[in-house]
Amino acid sequence: MLTERQELILKTIMKDFTQTHEPVGSKTVMMQLPIKYSSATIRNEMAVLEEQGLIEKTHSSSGRVPSSEGYRYYLDNLVEPLQLPDSVYDKIVYQLDRPFHQVNEIVQEAAKILSDLTNYTAFAEGPETHSVTVTGFRIVPLSNRQVMAILVTSDGNVQNQVYTLPHNIHGDEVEKAVRMINDKLVGKNLKEITPSLLKTLSTSDLAGEHSSELLELVEDVIKDAASEQMYVDGQINLLNNATDNVKNIRSLYELVGHNDLISDLMNLSKSNEEDNFPVQVRLGSELPNELLKDYSLLTAEYSVGSHGKGTIALLGPTNMPYSQMIGLLEYFRNELAKKLLDYYGKFQ
């Protein structure tokens, strides 16, 4: 562990560097410290911090910047969430305080708000679907052989997909499938409706030449409705911190659009929670992709009571102002949870 003075100097370097993005010299530290120390003392302490690998020299500059180990020490021991201006809180409340017709609309808007406020890439994952049940199912003809399957769930969400039916399928087969689903599946939890359950139902209730195709249609709609929805906003903001390497920029942009990887990153942070910190920070060196080495991922879970938990996240440069971003996520997760609880209350 560092001494109190060393921690104060490291904290000062961190604060100045994340604001200016310029190496910090001993004179700058001396002017910003709340306690007066001689320049020689500060230089000696900075030398100790450098020996311990917490700060490092850049090129020919006499200033120092935090190292990966320095960021980690700061985040684990020194960072304090900062209260943001009232105008930021007012904007969050204002943008969430409008009518939404589906849970997914609220979650998608959450990603947009976070991205707009920070100029970083924001992610929002909806709450789990453990308590969501099927309330209705329809198949609507669109054109020759094309239909839209519509599934309505107890949280007000409407899942719809367009399918092309097999040749020579009869209208009465489709109607029978719709009746079977409404008779057998309405009221069931989405997580209960497994492929094996559907197969059992099809064997006893959905006989016919095209029963397997209709079963696949139903299974696809149920699967999509049961999956947690992930929304991304501000992908272009990642490029603000990208290198000039065109190949890396293209790969980075594609990376953010890869939902499976983003889910893995968010789950990685959740699986490493320590001391119940509401906001987890993973530095680029701790993320499983070399393209993210200059970035940090901040994640925060929000709870919607019996309706489950969701996650919000920010992906931005390693030298971001962590106190402000952590303070923002702490506040935002609570406001998002309140909005979703209010929304779910309409269906009780």
Side-chain angles (χ1 to χ4, degrees), residues 228-245:
E228 279 85 20
Q229 296 297 312
M230 173 78 71
Y231 294 96
V232 185
D233 203 282
Q235 295 97 317
I236 197 71
N237 293 331
L238 269 184
L239 307 187
N240 296 334
N241 199 53
T243 65
D244 294 332
N245 186 309

Side-chain angles (χ1 to χ4, degrees), residues 34-272:
I35 303 172
K36 297 302 177 185
Y37 298 106
S38 69
S39 57
T41 298
I42 294 172
R43 284 196 300 271
N44 289 337
E45 294 289 30
M46 288 178 67
V48 173
L49 293 174
E50 189 172 1
E51 287 174 7
Q52 295 193 18
L54 300 176
I55 60 175
E56 55 194 14
K57 195 172 184 178
T58 61
H59 308 300
S60 59
S61 168
S62 61
R64 303 294 189 275
V65 300
S67 65
S68 294
E69 291 79 7
Y71 278 115
R72 188 72 269 162
Y73 187 94
Y74 170 76
L75 290 167
D76 290 343
N77 302 283
L78 304 177
V79 68
E80 297 175 0
L82 189 67
Q83 185 169 347
L84 300 173
D86 289 341
S87 58
V88 174
Y89 301 130
D90 292 342
K91 185 174 182 180
I92 292 171
V93 172
Y94 174 77
Q95 289 189 244
L96 285 176
D97 188 25
R98 66 181 182 84
F100 292 94
H101 304 294
Q102 297 190 44
V103 170
N104 292 344
E105 291 178 6
I106 301 174
V107 178
Q108 186 173 17
E109 181 68 11
K112 184 179 186 307
I113 295 171
L114 280 174
S115 177
D116 288 346
L117 287 174
T118 62
N119 288 323
Y120 298 150
T121 303
F123 308 91
E125 187 177 44
E128 301 144 351
T129 55
H130 297 309
S131 61
V132 176
T133 59
V134 175
T135 58
F137 182 79
R138 292 178 63 196
I139 294 181
V140 179
L142 297 178
S143 60
N144 184 31
R145 292 178 57 213
Q146 275 204 327
V147 298
M148 177 179 287
I150 304 171
L151 182 77
V152 184
T153 53
S154 59
D155 58 355
N157 274 350
V158 179
Q159 186 75 31
N160 57 75
Q161 290 189 48
V162 176
Y163 293 88
T164 300
L165 294 175
H167 287 286
N168 303 321
I169 193 168
H170 301 295
D172 58 347
E173 288 183 89
V174 176
E175 291 176 10
K176 188 172 185 179
V178 173
R179 284 198 304 272
M180 183 273 287
I181 294 163
N182 282 295
D183 289 345
K184 302 292 185 179
L185 301 185
V186 165
K188 284 192 177 295
N189 190 293
L190 284 175
K191 298 294 185 183
E192 292 181 86
I193 306 174
T194 60
S196 58
L197 173 62
L198 289 174
K199 186 175 181 180
T200 302
L201 292 175
S202 70
T203 302
S204 58
D205 299 280
L206 190 60
E209 183 183 352
H210 300 100
S211 60
S212 60
E213 288 91 343
L214 288 169
L215 182 65
E216 288 177 9
L217 183 155
V218 176
E219 190 176 331
D220 283 350
V221 180
I222 294 288
K223 182 179 179 181
D224 281 355
S227 63
E228 279 85 20
Q229 296 297 312
M230 173 78 71
Y231 294 96
V232 185
D233 203 282
Q235 295 97 317
I236 197 71
N237 293 331
L238 269 184
L239 307 187
N240 296 334
N241 199 53
T243 65
D244 294 332
N245 186 309
V246 175
K247 182 179 179 181
N248 282 354
I249 291 175
R250 186 184 298 114
S251 299
L252 188 61
Y253 197 81
E254 292 173 354
L255 177 69
V256 177
H258 201 298
N259 275 1
D260 289 342
L261 178 62
I262 297 303
S263 294
D264 289 344
L265 291 176
M266 295 171 81
N267 288 332
L268 171 69
S269 289
K270 286 187 284 188
S271 66
N272 283 282

Side-chain angles (χ1 to χ4, degrees), residues 3-20:
T3 66
E4 185 176 342
R5 184 165 63 195
Q6 290 164 353
E7 287 190 339
L8 186 58
I9 291 173
L10 177 61
K11 194 172 182 180
T12 302
I13 293 172
M14 190 73 62
K15 179 182 177 182
D16 190 270
F17 181 66
T18 56
Q19 288 177 342
T20 68

